[in-house]
Amino acid sequence: MSNQTENYTASPKAIGGDELDALFSWLEPYFPLVLAVSGGADSMCLMHLMADWLKRRGAQGAHGGQGENEARLAGAGEAQPTSSPTRFTAVSTPGPVQISNALKVQTVTVDHGLRAGSVAEAQFVQRASLTLGFAHTTLRWDGDKPQTGIQAAARKARYELISAFLCKQIGQSRENQPDNKLSAQDGARDGSVAGRCAYSLPTLLTAHHQDDLAETVLMRLARGSGLDGLAGMSRKSTLCGMTILRPLLELPKTRLVATLNKRSISYVEDPSNENTAFERVRLRRAASALSEAGLGNEALAVSARRLARAKCALDELTSDLMQRCAVRAREFGYGELVFYEFNAAPEELRLRLLNRLIGFYGGADMPVRLSKLEDLCLALGTADFSGATLNKCRIVHRGKKLMLFRETGRAATTARTLEPGASFLWDHRFLVSLSPQSDQAFEILPLGENGWRDLKLNYEAVAQCDVPFDAASSVPAFWARGKLVAVPVFGGLAEDLSGPRVAGAPLLACSVRAL
């Protein structure tokens, strides 16, 4: 641990209490919040500043994002494995102070297990979190680690672990919720989504700052990135189904460290920050020379902010286009829009909307290569367009509408096991959960052509619904001992498709991810 640093010898101004509202007040619509705290200077400063802000607002600390029961994933000191693409163990400890449900904040630390002392560092963060009144969870990255590309792999694992943890909290919060199944009158017949059928994860806060932003711009400049890439990090982004906010992005690291030093707050020194094998470290070493050439962090951050401003405007216009095109997110994991409105829009907005929708409905959760989007956009305007597949998303014309489906036959083709008490994001489209009261696990696979045919033969309401084959065949189906047990998205049409129940309450839950 450290209270001082040799790398920042200037006398930057510590962050004052009069700056807290400007830093955090815009976060209020995004509660509940989860703070990612590694123990380093940046995240420790974020956690302490957040605690200060909450106290100024009359909230003496904070408690878990879904309340005490939800925050206690495994109970203090207990470790429970959970089913996710990245293996991890969660250990949660509730904070000692409760506040209004309107303000819910918790902290989470990912122990990557990459160096000696990582367990002690996570425990250090836990103690600091509890002292401030925040519920805290440590997530451990279990299993084998890659020999190359370790920073990228660790970053991917980190966000997957946090997303899976929050999915599990949502699953637990459902345990005492009433059975809100859809009926045909509620919209199951036409596939529309009622607000209660979609879900959103709590918002994740990270401590990225101005130096991180400048480094990202340089890295992307070296790769020939366009406007979106050169805008660097934004204050708001999405990843792994989570909204990610960065309230410290306009502050240089020197001010964060100065704040900790002034208050004698300890933090962890990460030795990998001195390893020149990593690109970011090399850029930091070159910072002085770059600054002398006029490419200092502040100048780079100014350029990034200006580009981000343009990107933000284009994103807003893209959202407006979504409304004009009447984009509809269907409970069965597909989407549709009015094509003539789409085709009349400027090409840049059409490209951005396609990128957004393909990433969502294709289950890839990643940007599409621009050249391929341009080819698709051009093809959509031709009379002989018969459909296309891009990033596992099938795009077709149906009358006056453009429809987007998960590519049939490729939706999470590897079986995923859902254990009792577990929740996870399936195919980046559906949050699936299984009650701890279940006495068995289930395998999840796409329903497929044969499964869809069997449902229509055995359930008249399903046979009469107008859910397209492309959508129905790619929804999650739950199996046990080789037998189809449930297809919860059709539970509003046939109750027994919701799966087994205990005391009248369904053990399985399945909700489409919010667009």
Side-chain angles (χ1 to χ4, degrees):
M1 311 305 168
S2 174
N3 285 329
Q4 302 293 328
T5 175
E6 299 177 359
N7 297 325
Y8 301 94
T9 57
S11 300
K13 179 184 176 183
I15 300 165
D18 58 341
E19 299 177 76
L20 296 180
D21 272 340
L23 287 174
F24 297 126
S25 61
W26 64 280
L27 301 175
E28 293 192 39
Y30 296 97
F31 278 87
L33 303 176
V34 178
L35 277 58
V37 184
S38 66
D42 312 337
S43 58
M44 289 296 288
C45 187
L46 172 63
M47 181 173 69
H48 280 269
L49 292 176
M50 172 60 70
D52 290 348
W53 179 64
L54 291 174
K55 290 177 183 177
R56 282 173 170 263
R57 300 181 77 261
Q60 303 298 319
H63 206 274
Q66 297 296 331
E68 183 173 359
N69 291 333
E70 289 74 22
R72 198 189 303 264
L73 249 190
E78 295 181 10
Q80 295 290 337
T82 168
S83 178
S84 78
T86 304
R87 292 176 54 203
F88 76 97
T89 302
V91 179
S92 298
T93 306
V97 182
Q98 296 190 41
I99 64 169
S100 165
N101 288 336
L103 290 175
K104 297 174 180 176
V105 181
Q106 60 180 312
T107 61
V108 62
T109 301
V110 176
D111 175 5
H112 298 88
L114 295 176
R115 64 176 185 272
S118 63
V119 172
E121 291 169 5
Q123 292 171 344
F124 161 73
V125 176
Q126 181 191 59
R127 290 192 297 272
S129 296
L130 297 179
T131 298
L132 294 172
F134 295 122
H136 176 267
T137 299
T138 296
L139 304 174
R140 299 192 186 110
W141 184 19
D142 297 331
D144 296 332
K145 310 298 192 298
Q147 297 300 310
T148 60
I150 188 63
Q151 281 200 328
R155 178 184 182 274
K156 180 176 182 291
R158 182 161 58 248
Y159 286 110
E160 284 184 351
L161 294 177
I162 296 173
S163 176
F165 163 67
L166 297 179
C167 285
K168 182 160 186 173
Q169 283 197 335
I170 287 180
Q172 289 180 326
S173 70
R174 287 173 168 169
E175 285 302 308
N176 297 319
Q177 297 298 317
D179 179 14
N180 287 326
K181 68 180 182 181
L182 283 178
S183 66
Q185 291 74 23
D186 289 325
R189 175 177 291 277
D190 69 0
S192 62
V193 174
R196 56 184 164 77
C197 299
Y199 77 94
S200 295
L201 298 179
T203 303
L204 179 68
L205 260 63
T206 67
H208 292 109
H209 46 72
Q210 185 183 88
D211 299 35
D212 296 318
L213 174 60
E215 291 164 7
T216 299
V217 171
L218 287 172
M219 292 168 67
R220 293 179 179 175
L221 184 64
R223 291 164 174 72
S225 296
L227 183 148
D228 285 16
L230 294 179
M233 300 175 181
S234 59
R235 285 212 307 176
K236 177 183 177 182
S237 63
T238 59
L239 186 66
C240 296
M242 301 179 292
T243 295
I244 301 174
L245 303 180
R246 303 176 178 90
L248 306 183
L249 203 56
E250 295 187 4
L251 296 173
K253 178 160 186 166
T254 51
R255 294 201 64 196
L256 307 186
V257 174
T259 302
L260 295 177
N261 289 343
K262 181 179 180 180
R263 298 167 61 173
S264 298
I265 297 172
S266 298
Y267 54 90
V268 173
E269 299 271 10
D270 184 351
S272 68
N273 288 333
E274 302 300 321
N275 187 345
T276 55
F278 300 128
E279 183 180 16
R280 284 190 180 273
V281 177
R282 295 195 298 272
L283 287 172
R284 288 171 199 153
R285 293 287 180 89
S288 178
L290 290 170
S291 182
E292 290 177 4
L295 287 174
N297 287 348
E298 187 173 353
L300 289 167
V302 168
S303 294
R305 281 197 296 271
R306 288 170 177 167
L307 291 169
R309 186 171 61 208
K311 178 181 179 295
C312 183
L314 289 170
D315 287 342
E316 287 295 321
L317 290 172
T318 302
S319 296
D320 291 342
L321 178 59
M322 281 184 65
Q323 292 187 351
R324 294 202 307 277
C325 292
V327 174
R328 299 186 70 187
R330 301 293 192 166
E331 185 194 353
F332 301 97
Y334 72 100
E336 64 182 33
L337 57 86
V338 178
F339 181 70
Y340 73 83
E341 287 283 1
F342 170 85
N343 210 37
E347 182 182 13
E348 179 66 21
L349 298 185
R350 282 182 281 145
L351 290 170
R352 287 175 175 272
L353 181 54
L354 281 175
N355 184 58
R356 187 181 297 186
L357 297 179
I358 288 172
F360 182 82
Y361 292 110
D365 201 30
M366 58 188 295
V368 186
R369 186 176 299 175
L370 181 57
S371 59
K372 292 187 176 182
L373 280 174
E374 290 169 338
D375 291 342
L376 173 61
C377 210
L378 183 63
L380 284 171
T382 62
D384 59 348
F385 178 75
S386 59
T389 300
L390 190 56
N391 271 34
K392 302 179 183 179
C393 181
R394 181 71 180 161
I395 304 101
V396 297
H397 278 310
R398 296 280 170 89
K400 296 181 179 181
K401 295 179 179 180
L402 188 68
M403 306 191 77
L404 299 97
F405 305 100
R406 183 66 160 93
E407 184 181 1
T408 304
R410 295 185 63 186
T413 51
T414 302
R416 297 269 323 262
T417 301
L418 182 63
E419 301 285 349
S423 297
F424 54 74
L425 191 60
W426 183 84
D427 198 40
H428 289 285
R429 295 182 298 144
F430 294 90
L431 174 66
V432 295
S433 306
L434 178 59
S435 170
Q437 298 181 55
S438 176
D439 59 2
Q440 63 178 332
F442 294 91
E443 279 195 328
I444 309 178
L445 284 166
L447 180 60
E449 181 178 356
N450 292 336
W452 177 229
R453 184 186 64 244
D454 290 345
L455 288 192
K456 291 197 295 183
L457 287 174
N458 294 312
Y459 299 94
E460 182 179 356
V462 174
Q464 293 179 357
C465 77
D466 61 357
V467 179
F469 162 78
D470 308 76
S473 59
S474 67
V475 302
F478 296 73
W479 298 73
R481 302 181 185 90
K483 179 181 178 182
L484 179 63
V485 175
V487 189
V489 296
F490 288 106
L493 297 175
E495 186 173 298
D496 58 338
L497 289 177
S498 297
R501 294 172 175 261
V502 170
L507 296 176
L508 290 166
C510 179
S511 300
V512 69
R513 172 181 155 195
L515 177 61

